[in-house]
Amino acid sequence: LTAAENIKLRMGLADSVRGTRQKPDRIPEDLIQALGLEEILHVLPHKLSGGEMKRVAIARALAADPEYIIADEPTGELDEENAKRVVQLFRKEAERGKGILLITHDKSVGDSADRIFRMTGGKLSVTAPAYTSTGNMPRFTLLDGGSIVEENTPEEFFSHPQSQRAVDFLQSIRMPDNL
């Protein structure tokens, strides 16, 4: 299958799971452009570079329009220009309301995050900018059974939980030193 056929296959599987059973005929143009795939859509995988395969894989995942995205080292194997494209695309998806968990060793990638979790010496620490890239205060949301139990700024959530469920949750975890 070509790069385009691989992406369309994933789109078709997502539609099938959703029950729409539509055969995808076109990959969203904004996705193609955002990842710079215009020149490689009709190329077979064995002729793609590692970075090109990575961008096709990202397109496959995003073409299914998932609500949540977990990306492990999405900019690995990418040159600086394409890494920037991927980070900008994930930022755009986050601004559209997608939940994104991005795992990376690249500190420059973390600069675009609303919240950064760092694991150092076995301890988890959390940092958050004063405001997100959209100008909003970062929010911490506690979900239980698929429902929002409590939502607040990280500082308020961890220092002054409003619900008993939040209090119980906070007592059950080992708190990071910097909160």
Side-chain angles (χ1 to χ4, degrees), residues 92-138:
K92 180 181 168 191
E93 292 296 309
E95 289 168 359
R96 287 183 47 218
K98 306 286 181 168
I100 297 180
L101 175 61
L102 192 144
I103 298 95
T104 185
H105 290 92
D106 184 345
K107 291 182 182 185
S108 66
V109 172
D111 291 342
S112 69
D114 292 337
R115 202 168 306 140
I116 300 170
F117 296 83
R118 289 196 198 320
M119 182 67 80
T120 308
K123 292 186 178 181
L124 182 67
S125 64
V126 182
T127 58
Y131 291 91
T132 66
S133 63
T134 59
N136 299 320
M137 288 289 292

Side-chain angles (χ1 to χ4, degrees), residues 150-170:
E150 187 168 333
E151 184 173 42
N152 213 329
T153 64
E155 295 79 14
E156 283 298 309
F157 179 85
F158 285 101
S159 2
H160 308 300
Q162 301 297 307
S163 67
Q164 186 58 47
R165 179 64 185 102
V167 169
D168 294 344
F169 169 73
L170 292 173

Side-chain angles (χ1 to χ4, degrees), residues 68 142-150 165:
Y68 299 99
L142 176 63
L143 298 171
D144 188 14
S147 299
I148 295 175
V149 174
E150 187 168 333
R165 179 64 185 102

